[in-house]
Amino acid sequence: MAEILKGKPVADAMKEELTKKVEALKARGIVPKLGIVRVGARPDDLFYEGGAKKTCKAIGMESEVFEYPEDIDQAAFEKAITEVGSKKDINGILMFSPLPKHIDERKIRTLIPVEKDVDCLTLGGAAKVFTDDPTGFPPCTPTACMDMIHHYGIAVKGKRCVVVGRSLVVGKPLAMLLLREHGTVTICHSRTENLPDVCKEAEILVAAVGRAKMIKANYVREGQIVIDVGINADPDNPGKYCGDVDFAEVEPIVERISPVPAGVGSVTTSVLCKHTIMACEMQNA
Ligand code: NDP
């Protein structure tokens, strides 16, 4: 039976540390604040927003939601995001993506100040991540994976790491973060040949695919550590969600595995707060 790498202990430890940092900032008369920019009201966005607000409150920092109608036009939204970006009391900005199709999202992203880009939405933010600049903030999900890895004392140096998925929001930045810690990293995608065999070579296997239960018993072997980033509707349990890993098949084989739910996803809002507090500290250095 594998050791289950739960997200809650990681988030709890992080929150404890962040609470102290917020107290230290407050003693200097500074209250870190996250600005949440949302266009429309998608249920997934609202769910994440609720979690983010709750985590901010729990650690003593502030948050403010800037909500815009689905039919806001480009010019009005450019003006709005510029205004949010220039607010002195907002240290970090989370903007839900994708934006409605009539909005030029690339242009909008350029209007977010890089120093407030706590979820890596800007090219400047991505450049910092890909050049190992410690003042840059990688997206929250890959950072949450790394925080899980650190919390559970998993050594990355010299290890064969396989990341399945090459999106800009998870796979690619996660590969960079593993590389930064001297992992030997392979990035897989939909055109990778012999994917099960490549996955079997991993010592640390991360699934960020967006396909329910795709990683089956034939993708894994004994001794592996498996991190499951996926959040998918569970085809076998309507109304529930599941990961990219078939937990029932894989868990009996590998050494350690993160579950879905209650794994990586439980850590992301704490990372968002961590990044906002770091941004606040840098803006007030
Ligand atoms: P994307 O759809 O943007 O990317 C999916 C990646 O998986 C692509 O690189 C794609 O390859 C690859 N892929 C798709 N099908 C296959 C296949 N059959 N074999 C190999 N590779 C494949 O998804 P995201 O990166 O945004 O998200 C990945 C997962 O992580 C999703 O389940 C999402 O819900 C979850 N997620 C979880 C978060 C959390 O907080 N835990 C936050 C963000 C996402 P190609 O590039 O060739 O198309």
Side-chain angles (χ1 to χ4, degrees):
M1 253 181 66
E3 179 192 346
I4 310 300
L5 306 174
K6 291 210 167 186
K8 189 172 182 298
V10 186
D12 286 349
M14 207 185 298
K15 281 186 219 160
E16 207 180 306
E17 201 180 308
L18 294 177
T19 304
K20 288 185 200 144
K21 285 188 185 251
V22 172
E23 278 166 10
L25 283 162
K26 282 184 172 169
R28 293 168 54 200
I30 302 159
V31 186
K33 186 170 176 181
L34 171 70
I36 302 174
V37 175
R38 173 166 49 76
V39 178
R42 273 191 304 252
D44 285 359
D45 294 350
L46 290 171
F47 181 77
Y48 192 73
E49 179 182 299
K53 281 161 63 182
K54 201 171 141 201
T55 309
C56 286
K57 197 167 175 212
I59 63 172
M61 59 178 271
E62 289 185 358
S63 63
E64 184 173 348
V65 177
F66 300 90
E67 184 181 356
Y68 305 97
E70 189 94 40
D71 61 356
I72 189 167
D73 68 30
Q74 179 76 22
F77 193 47
E78 283 182 15
K79 187 164 174 279
I81 195 91
T82 305
E83 270 170 23
V84 175
S86 63
K87 282 182 183 289
K88 287 252 177 315
D89 63 332
I90 299 282
N91 306 107
I93 294 174
L94 168 75
M95 183 183 76
F96 288 110
S97 169
L99 294 169
K101 286 204 165 49
H102 66 278
I103 301 278
D104 179 352
E105 183 163 339
R106 272 181 181 254
K107 174 80 193 297
I108 295 295
R109 287 180 182 223
T110 65
L111 302 173
I112 297 172
V114 174
E115 68 275 13
K116 298 187 180 184
D117 182 15
V118 290
D119 198 24
C120 204
L121 291 168
T122 65
L123 287 178
K128 285 181 184 235
V129 173
F130 281 72
T131 56
D132 295 337
D133 180 335
T135 66
F137 302 106
C140 293
T141 301
T143 309
C145 293
M146 296 310 294
D147 284 325
M148 296 272 285
I149 283 172
H150 297 151
H151 181 92
Y152 287 106
I154 297 164
V156 173
K157 189 175 168 184
K159 295 283 186 303
R160 282 165 295 161
C161 308
V162 172
V163 179
V164 190
R166 59 173 164 181
S167 75
L168 255 184
V169 75
V170 191
K172 271 186 206 163
L174 179 60
M176 290 305 118
L177 297 180
L178 290 164
L179 196 58
R180 198 183 280 185
E181 298 196 11
H182 312 297
T184 302
V185 185
T186 301
I187 308 175
C188 301
H189 45 79
S190 63
R191 268 69 146 206
T192 298
E193 291 182 2
N194 305 323
L195 185 61
D197 290 343
V198 180
C199 290
K200 265 191 190 148
E201 283 170 16
E203 293 171 281
I204 300 170
L205 173 63
V206 186
V209 192
R211 289 179 181 261
K213 305 183 188 180
M214 189 193 98
I215 306 291
K216 303 271 182 204
N218 62 320
Y219 286 66
V220 296
R221 61 171 170 79
E222 278 178 24
Q224 286 181 310
I225 295 163
V226 178
I227 310 277
D228 190 352
V229 181
I231 302 178
N232 312 291
D234 187 339
D236 307 315
N237 292 297
K240 305 261 182 213
Y241 65 99
C242 69
D244 293 337
V245 177
D246 189 326
F247 189 87
E249 280 197 16
V250 168
E251 184 271 335
I253 302 170
V254 301
E255 192 171 306
R256 305 168 100 181
I257 183 168
S258 74
V260 178
V264 175
S266 329
V267 184
T268 45
T269 58
S270 297
V271 171
L272 183 63
C273 293
K274 176 172 79 168
H275 285 175
T276 304
I277 292 165
M278 285 164 71
C280 178
E281 287 171 342
M282 286 192 274
Q283 287 156 26
N284 290 283

